[in-house]
Amino acid sequence: MPRRKRNRRIQVPPVIKGMSVYGVRGRKSNEVILRLEEYEAIRLLDYQNLTQEQAAVHMDVSRPTLTRIYEEARNKVATAFVEGRDIIFKGGDIYFDENWYKCDSCQASFNDYENSNPSCPVCNSTDVITLNEFYSR
Ligand SMILES: [Zn+2]
């Protein structure tokens, strides 16, 4: 499968697949899709308080690209806050830094460097997919 463009490195996957609004009644939320590189930019800059130069290195992108990803991410989060919309983490031109997997039975995330077909360390299920597969569903 050809790459459309250079992928951005994600060090740690989100622990959840999205967030839902609280206190809204009688209306279906029109969710905001936050791509995983946008999630990662917010994690590195606003949660870990890295500089944009440091975050660009972590994500393997240029500083201007990082700034563009970050501004789009902030705009989406602000839109979700102000308009009361759910946020779904999905898609993106990304790869994971390590061999991350997701258990389809218990939803545990884990990494495994030694096995190409690992079983879940939590429930021993072999119903395991890569995180790239999980987030592209
Ligand atoms: Zn499991």
Side-chain angles (χ1 to χ4, degrees), residues 1-134:
M1 192 171 70
R3 285 187 179 174
R4 286 161 292 164
K5 55 184 158 180
R6 192 158 141 226
N7 287 356
R8 294 75 189 255
R9 179 166 62 211
I10 308 292
Q11 287 186 297
V12 182
V15 295
I16 53 176
K17 215 174 168 179
M19 307 192 74
S20 98
V21 299
Y22 177 76
V24 178
R25 298 179 62 179
R27 150 171 111 77
K28 174 118 171 62
S29 174
N30 171 22
E31 68 259 1
V32 171
I33 305 296
L34 197 68
R35 292 152 58 89
L36 288 196
E37 63 261 41
E38 294 165 349
Y39 165 88
E40 182 75 343
I42 287 180
R43 188 183 73 82
L44 293 171
L45 292 168
D46 291 327
Y47 183 74
Q48 295 205 320
N49 296 315
L50 299 188
T51 65
Q52 292 207 2
E53 288 81 2
Q54 291 170 324
V57 170
H58 276 276
M59 291 180 65
D60 196 22
V61 296
S62 69
R63 163 69 194 273
T65 297
L66 184 278
T67 300
R68 187 168 45 75
I69 292 168
Y70 181 58
E71 286 175 353
E72 182 69 15
R74 297 271 307 243
N75 183 265
K76 287 182 175 179
V77 170
T79 298
F81 276 20
V82 171
E83 298 180 7
R85 292 163 62 174
D86 291 349
I87 299 175
I88 305 293
F89 304 143
K90 186 176 184 180
D93 299 309
I94 54 107
Y95 65 94
F96 287 96
D97 202 25
E98 299 164 25
N99 296 315
W100 283 94
Y101 298 91
K102 185 98 178 170
C103 174
D104 240 354
S105 296
C106 75
Q107 301 299 306
S109 295
F110 61 96
N111 55 36
D112 192 316
Y113 303 97
E114 294 172 5
N115 304 303
S116 55
N117 273 314
S119 56
C120 176
V122 177
C123 73
N124 292 321
S125 170
T126 55
D127 195 9
V128 162
I129 59 173
T130 69
L131 276 183
N132 279 318
E133 291 168 334
F134 178 74

